[in-house]
Amino acid sequence: MSTFPIPVAIIGSGNIGTDLMIKILRYSKCLQVAALVGIDPASDGLARAARMGVPTTAEGIDGLLALPNFADIRIVFDATSSTAHALHNAKLQPHGVRVIDLTPAAIGPYVIPVVNLDKHMQAPNLNMVTCGGQATIPIVHAVAQVAPVHYAEIIASISSKSAGPGTRANIDEFTETTSRAIVEVGQAVRGKAIIVLNPAEPPLIMRDTVYCFVSPGADIEAIRAAVQARVAEVQQYVPGYRLKQDVQFEHYGEDNRQNIPGLGWSLGTKVSVFLEVEGAGHYLPAYAGNLDIMTSAAVSVAERIAHSHVSGGV
């Protein structure tokens, strides 16, 4: 039977991978960073890892597989790109490690910790959707538990300074993956995702807007309570996650029907939720809440898997 701490590896020595490493080293009682993997020998992440006593390799996935301690590693985080992840996953799966995917590759099931992690605890590859998905899908799902969501649209606005090469290269995958997850995990009938790179100076923290269109007569107070409860759940692993204002409701009747994508001119209620995500500042600046929510959610998933390993559940 496994014992704590569970050895993990991180592929990707950029902002996300380095933030993951620091979060685990400083705060996790059940995970141990056994390797940080990159492809740039001069990266700040690899240099920091070496200073902190973490084994490193600049030889990518093959360098990880060749490390003397690789056989001990039980969980691997992939913080690279959707294209690279397909190769990494193919090489890792024969070794029986669990893979937590922070790219939009979506090889494994979409996972939002407060929504559906229990359902996918046995999956060999778990996809963390996107930063916008982690921030907004919990809200769509919360609304859907009270009233059917016919259409959900999310807008994730992030500082352009927090969008690195990986994020910019995966914009199409971001919108496609998030839109699918709004339906598959959030339980909306239809979903749409939009990402905005905000060039404002000084940089603004992540802001997210969630619109859900529900049927007439939905229980407004129950929806409001469900959203507030869900925000509190997410705050357990992302303390900087919060409502910007009270949940808003707009009612549409015969005289002011709303044109809903896929539904046409419809009666109903539009639920509007406005969020912001402030980063913890472990490695990334506080305005980079979009990156912080991804790393925080991924660590939360890994810790649940680690506890399951130790208890013999996985």
Side-chain angles (χ1 to χ4, degrees):
M1 183 178 292
S2 300
T3 59
F4 292 136
I6 299 294
V8 305
I10 301 166
I11 306 176
S13 60
N15 286 335
I16 294 178
T18 305
D19 189 63
L20 269 171
M21 176 184 70
I22 291 175
K23 275 181 166 58
I24 294 170
L25 289 173
R26 289 183 181 173
Y27 304 108
S28 182
K29 297 179 180 178
C30 58
L31 305 176
Q32 174 191 24
V33 183
L36 181 68
V37 180
I39 56 174
D40 178 7
S43 71
D44 179 67
L46 291 179
R48 282 177 180 261
R51 290 197 300 268
M52 301 173 85
V54 173
T56 66
T57 175
E59 301 299 323
I61 183 65
D62 293 329
L64 171 62
L65 298 176
L67 288 176
N69 64 343
F70 175 73
D72 299 325
I73 292 170
R74 307 313 314 144
I75 300 171
V76 175
F77 298 90
D78 192 338
T80 58
S81 70
S82 56
T83 301
H85 178 69
L87 171 64
H88 298 161
N89 185 67
K91 291 193 174 186
L92 288 168
Q93 288 303 324
H95 298 278
V97 300
R98 305 294 297 283
V99 179
I100 299 177
D101 174 21
L102 287 86
T103 81
I107 291 173
Y110 300 128
V111 171
I112 306 291
V114 294
V115 175
N116 68 340
L117 176 55
D118 288 342
K119 179 180 178 181
H120 299 299
M121 283 293 291
Q122 303 287 341
N125 181 304
L126 298 94
N127 179 260
M128 300 308 299
V129 194
T130 60
C131 60
Q134 288 295 333
T136 62
I137 290 172
I139 302 301
V140 176
H141 181 264
V143 175
Q145 302 316 291
V146 179
V149 176
H150 305 297
Y151 174 76
E153 180 174 309
I154 72 96
I155 304 166
S157 179
I158 66 174
S159 168
S160 58
K161 282 193 171 181
S162 69
T167 299
R168 294 172 185 272
N170 291 319
I171 291 292
D172 289 344
E173 289 88 345
F174 175 99
T175 55
E176 293 167 5
T177 295
T178 309
S179 297
R180 288 197 301 268
I182 288 169
V183 173
E184 294 182 21
V185 182
Q187 298 182 2
V189 176
R190 296 175 181 82
K192 179 179 180 180
I194 300 168
I195 183 171
V196 177
L197 302 186
N198 191 329
E201 289 289 349
L204 299 178
I205 67 174
M206 183 186 198
R207 298 280 173 83
D208 298 283
T209 303
V210 183
Y211 297 118
C212 294
F213 193 81
V214 299
S215 297
D219 189 332
I220 299 306
E221 291 309 315
I223 291 175
R224 191 192 313 276
V227 169
Q228 293 171 341
R230 181 54 55 78
V231 169
E233 289 181 300
V234 177
Q235 287 174 337
Q236 295 301 305
Y237 55 94
V238 191
Y241 182 85
R242 52 185 174 258
L243 284 171
K244 278 294 290 178
Q245 62 188 74
D246 195 15
V247 182
Q248 305 293 307
F249 301 93
E250 296 177 65
H251 304 287
Y252 299 94
E254 291 290 350
D255 58 343
N256 63 340
R257 290 171 177 261
Q258 182 80 343
N259 192 6
I260 304 299
L263 294 178
W265 294 92
S266 303
L267 308 177
T269 297
K270 183 170 74 172
V271 183
S272 301
V273 180
F274 304 96
L275 304 156
E276 69 178 13
V277 186
E278 182 176 4
H282 295 143
Y283 173 72
L284 304 165
Y287 64 76
N290 53 305
L291 304 181
D292 190 78
I293 197 170
M294 285 293 283
T295 57
S296 296
V299 171
S300 177
V301 168
E303 289 184 333
R304 287 276 301 279
I305 292 173
H307 280 282
S308 188
H309 269 298
V310 171
S311 66
V314 178

